[in-house]
Amino acid sequence: MEFESRIDLSELHEAVTNIRAEVGKIIIGQQNTIDLLLTAIFADGHVLLEGVPGVAKTLIAKLLAKTISTNFSRIQFTPDMMPSDVLGTAVYNPKTTEFDFKQGPIFSNIVLIDEINRSPAKTQAALFEVMEERQITNSGTTYQMSFPFLVMATQNPIEQEGTYRLPEAQLDRFLFKIVIKYPTFEEEIKILQGNHKRSVEQTNNPVAMMQAVMSIEQLQNLRAKVRLVLVEEKILEYIAKITHETRNSKFLYLGASPRASVALLNASKALAAIRGRDFVTPEDVQELAKPVLCHRIILTPEKEMEGSTAEDVIAQILQKIEVPR
Amino acid sequence: MENISKKNNCRQTIVRRKGEHCQIKRSNYRLTLSKVALFCVLICSFTSSISAIPSKIHYQTLAQDSTNTTIRKPSESEMTAFKKSKDYQYGVEESQVLDTWWKRLLRRLFNWFGNLFTGVGNPTFWKTAVYIFVASVVVYVTLKLMGVDFSGLYRKKNTNEIPYETLGENIHTIDFINSIAEATTQKNYRLAVRLYYLKALKELTDREMIDWRINKTNRSYVYELNSPILRPDFEYITRQFEYAWYGDFPVDEEQFISIKNQFLTFSNSVFANG
């Protein structure tokens, strides 16, 4: 006996397959990263990509942005950057004798903020409003961001010189922190082969090769379908238990916020839809718990000194909580 | 005239200054003289005290006392009587009649501790302190090696305990036959499907094909099942359960019979291959 899906997810499945194929032309491996990025796109969440230099953080973000026919802008964060350099500023217009607001690079659909931790807290704080409320207020005027608005930021966890740790309030605004790891040996050989081939064929600009495979309207429709994905009461309780446990864990100095619970719910719905289901299972929640929660929690100093990581503590919490069945 | 008066003024000023200078000089002389006099007095007294010491000391030899001395020792009974006597108990008076044994025990313990730490100058203090320190280090290292977590000791106890109840449902204690029969009678087919799935998990656990844990997902059990014969069927019934239970799909009687048959077939396979 087969159950028929109540929501037509064929269009979403097709879009996901096309995006994977398009990105896969350049990116070898990193399937989990691409799946999480797709989940974030459909769950309407911002993404923080973390990885050592040279693991294609920026390239993945750029390629994925190119697959959607939207505006794309890139901001390279530097230590001398001011909030007005990101948001925009009021410029005096001698013709009208008035101040006109000149929009900054944040006014785009997909914004890639490269090396986000290179700017001081005041510049990072400028992103609070726009990331959460999709609007910018300047000189008493509020400017709404156009649909879709997605921030993809990258940061390098190794380098400490000239970097600033992201404030907790900003970290909380990212749906996922995706840690990009090194490719496997086989994947690295494929990367070299692909690079060599493009070099010989003199087509070494991978972004130029990309084609948009999803329109804004399509994305809007697919997001609407994702929102309809069913979440059983027990799954909601399961999400709440996980988040609650982070606040009661003796290993954590700071637990996850209610925003984290909502993020886990929305992300689980998107992942379920990508997998062709119109309902969420505990599997979806468990799989997304780490990318959603790890950057929102702070370990106690004792736990940090022991060498434990946020991933370890989340894994312990998941082991403790009964899966609804 | 003016010039003359100016000159006079100048002379007067010079004379006055000279006078002041002489006065300062005079007082300095006086001070030096008094210092010298004091030094002389000190030297004289020192030399006189030295000269007072005789050049040769004559020791007198005293006659040895040869008388017999007898050491008197108080008898034990007398000493005990003295010790018990209230007149010789100068410390804290123990009212042994009025106090309870518990109070007396506490007082003695406090006295004992008080004697240990009567002061930093007391040699027993440092000795005791070193013993306590060494014992604490040994206990701490032992407990740490045993993997005891001390973080709860110095961390404020979280009063906000988990406000939810954990189901703690044990598949080994569920009466599946009656529960399934009851759910079927009530036409709660979704619940019946769930119970059939839990029964399947129990059967696999009993044959040690999977390791039942509360935190494992259904997919974990599918990956865990090594049997190539059972795995596709188990994956299929897992899917049926997920759609019925998590997906909230309505299950009518006809659908339930179909699902039930799949579960029964799987159960038979487990018995056959287990």
Side-chain angles (χ1 to χ4, degrees), chain A residues 258-276:
Chain A
R259 193 191 275 141
S261 297
V262 176
L264 190 52
L265 170 69
N266 291 338
S268 301
K269 284 163 77 171
L271 187 65
I274 287 171
R275 286 179 174 166

Side-chain angles (χ1 to χ4, degrees), chain A residues 7-20 37-45 67-69 147-148 213-230 266-278:
Chain A
I7 307 165
D8 181 18
L9 295 167
S10 57
E11 198 185 355
L12 189 137
H13 183 255
E14 194 188 330
V16 167
T17 311
N18 290 341
I19 292 171
R20 275 186 189 143
L37 279 165
L38 286 169
T39 308
I41 287 171
F42 292 119
D44 195 12
T67 58
I68 307 164
S69 55
F147 178 89
V213 289
M214 190 164 60
S215 65
I216 295 175
E217 293 74 30
Q218 243 184 320
L219 180 62
Q220 209 158 8
N221 287 338
L222 297 178
R223 275 190 184 175
K225 282 181 180 174
V226 165
R227 279 197 291 273
L228 295 174
V229 168
L230 189 130
N266 291 338
S268 301
K269 284 163 77 171
L271 187 65
I274 287 171
R275 286 179 174 166
R277 267 183 281 109
D278 63 357

Side-chain angles (χ1 to χ4, degrees), chain B residues 159-176:
Chain B
T159 49
N160 188 16
E161 290 299 331
I162 302 166
Y164 53 83
E165 285 178 26
T166 50
L167 286 171
E169 196 173 44
N170 189 348
I171 54 166
H172 299 284
T173 56
I174 300 171
D175 180 5
F176 284 109

